[in-house]
């Protein structure tokens, strides 16, 4: 199955999540800029990134935890995301 077409912002954010995941276990939700939320929502919807909270997967989506001010939300790249990055880099 071919990877979805990603915008430049989505590609950059996916790479940032990958680097953060390798470096320190994921990109903290607090590290996202306001203009990155939409791109992150799409990456999560495509299954390239997963949003994990303090107790595992965010129950109703990362928006609820972000709005509640939860700082324990972390974005991690999925195997599908790693494959998509590999395709982008070839």
């Amino acid at each position: 199955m071919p990877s979805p077409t990603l915008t430049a912002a989505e590609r950059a954010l996916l790479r940032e999540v990958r680097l953060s995941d390798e470096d320190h276990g994921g990109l903290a939700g607090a590290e996202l800029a306001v203009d990155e939320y939409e791109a992150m929502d799409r990456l999560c919807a495509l299954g390239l990134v997963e949003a994990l909270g303090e107790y595992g997967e965010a129950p109703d989506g990362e928006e609820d935890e972000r709005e509640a001010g939860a700082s324990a939300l972390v974005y991690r790249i999925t195997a599908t995301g790693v494959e998509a990055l590999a395709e982008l880099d070839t």
Side-chain angles (χ1 to χ4, degrees):
M1 178 170 110
S3 294
T5 303
L6 300 176
T7 66
E10 291 166 344
R11 287 191 304 270
L13 189 54
L14 187 58
R15 283 189 178 93
E16 184 178 348
V17 170
R18 171 75 188 261
L19 292 174
S20 292
D21 203 354
E22 291 174 350
D23 187 44
H24 55 272
L27 181 69
E31 294 180 69
L32 284 180
V34 173
D35 61 345
E36 293 177 318
Y37 288 125
E38 187 175 321
M40 185 61 79
D41 287 343
R42 182 155 186 268
L43 292 175
C44 288
L46 291 171
L48 303 176
V49 173
E50 62 183 350
L52 299 174
E54 184 176 5
Y55 302 106
E57 189 172 339
D60 297 321
E62 64 278 359
E63 308 85 21
D64 292 343
E65 292 197 16
R66 181 179 71 227
E67 290 170 7
S71 61
L73 185 64
V74 175
Y75 294 98
R76 301 203 58 197
I77 194 161
T78 64
T80 305
V82 171
E83 291 171 11
L85 274 180
E87 287 181 23
L88 289 170
D89 293 337
T90 58

